[in-house]
Amino acid sequence: MSLWTPDARAERVDALLSRAPVLPVLAIEHLEDAVPLARALVDAGLPVLEVTLRTAVALDAVARIVVEVPDAVVGVGTVLRPEDLAAADTARAAFAISPGATDALYAAADTACIPWIPAVASASDIMRGLGHGHRRFKFFPAASSGGTGALRAFGGPFPQVRFCPTGGIDAGSAPDYLALRNVVTVGGSWMVPAAALQARDWAAIGRLAREAAMLAGSVAR
Ligand SMILES: O=C(O)C(=O)C[C@H](O)[C@H](O)COP(=O)(O)O
């Protein structure tokens, strides 16, 4: 038995992800970077963040951002196992998002209060997700799984499905994705270049984030 109806789940994910055209995907190595990085992104107009579980401090970073940057909508990324989903909930993240999906995660998400966004890369993946009552998916790795052409093609058999394409997208290609009716938001790390993060150059990250936040305005759907 699921706590979520398909409608409730899709509405909740849309409400979260549609707050910004771009979802920054973050790998935070140093806990002290979490709050200034989140502030730079939120102030630039990108309030929805994905903090990936790729680093040891990720969950502590989420907890800090939740408390200290109240305007941020923080999700936990790289959710690979049900334990990760539970940890995201405990850290008071707004959502959890994965690079793929497993039966164990589909089952755990049914009884979790935190909304979970599985990822797909094929029509079969989408059909499996639909069978579990999901209609919102990350599309990963977007660029190498067919990019905008694949998303346009998915729109035929799956008109009720919308996506957050992520993986290999940058400021140049993001507008092409955002122009598609079945794209809610675009995920990516391009606005947080490794060198700028290492140098704690929040101004440079803020500039790139501001450009990313303006992308939706340049797109006619
Ligand atoms: O770690 C995860 O859970 C992922 O799904 C992977 C990330 O979303 C992408 O690696 C971001 O892609 P880039 O913008 O190409 O850096």
Side-chain angles (χ1 to χ4, degrees):
M1 227 349 237
S2 177
L3 292 177
W4 299 83
T5 65
D7 280 347
R9 192 171 248 149
E11 277 165 26
R12 180 80 169 274
V13 173
D14 284 349
L16 289 165
L17 296 187
S18 65
R19 293 176 62 150
V22 174
L23 170 68
V25 178
L26 311 175
I28 300 173
E29 298 280 357
H30 304 287
L31 190 53
E32 61 272 28
D33 292 344
V35 167
L37 174 60
R39 273 211 187 104
L41 295 165
V42 172
D43 289 350
L46 298 181
V48 192
L49 312 175
E50 174 184 337
V51 176
T52 60
L53 288 179
R54 296 195 214 167
T55 67
V57 302
L59 287 167
D60 290 334
V62 169
R64 260 198 206 188
I65 296 168
V66 167
V67 171
E68 295 189 41
V69 191
D71 290 341
V73 178
V74 198
V76 169
T78 327
V79 167
L80 304 182
R81 310 160 305 165
E83 302 91 281
D84 300 331
L85 189 63
D89 211 357
T90 304
R92 292 169 54 210
F95 63 96
I97 186 163
S98 295
T102 64
D103 288 337
L105 273 169
Y106 274 120
D110 275 351
T111 53
C113 294
I114 185 170
W116 172 63
I117 305 164
V120 295
S122 70
S124 295
D125 291 346
I126 295 169
M127 289 165 66
R128 190 161 145 251
L130 288 171
H132 286 284
H134 289 252
R135 293 189 212 128
R136 300 294 180 265
F137 301 100
K138 180 170 187 163
F139 175 45
F140 179 80
S144 51
S145 303
T148 54
L151 288 167
R152 217 174 275 114
F154 290 149
F158 309 117
Q160 74 279 45
V161 173
R162 299 180 76 203
F163 301 90
C164 171
T166 306
I169 301 177
D170 59 18
S173 58
D176 296 338
Y177 286 91
L178 289 168
L180 300 175
R181 272 191 314 107
N182 58 359
V183 168
V184 185
T185 187
V186 158
S189 61
W190 76 86
M191 74 300 294
V192 185
L197 183 55
Q198 210 169 346
R200 304 203 158 110
D201 189 347
W202 312 126
I205 290 169
R207 272 193 302 278
L208 289 167
R210 236 180 321 277
E211 281 169 27
M214 309 279 272
L215 287 175
S218 66
V219 172
R221 288 211 195 207

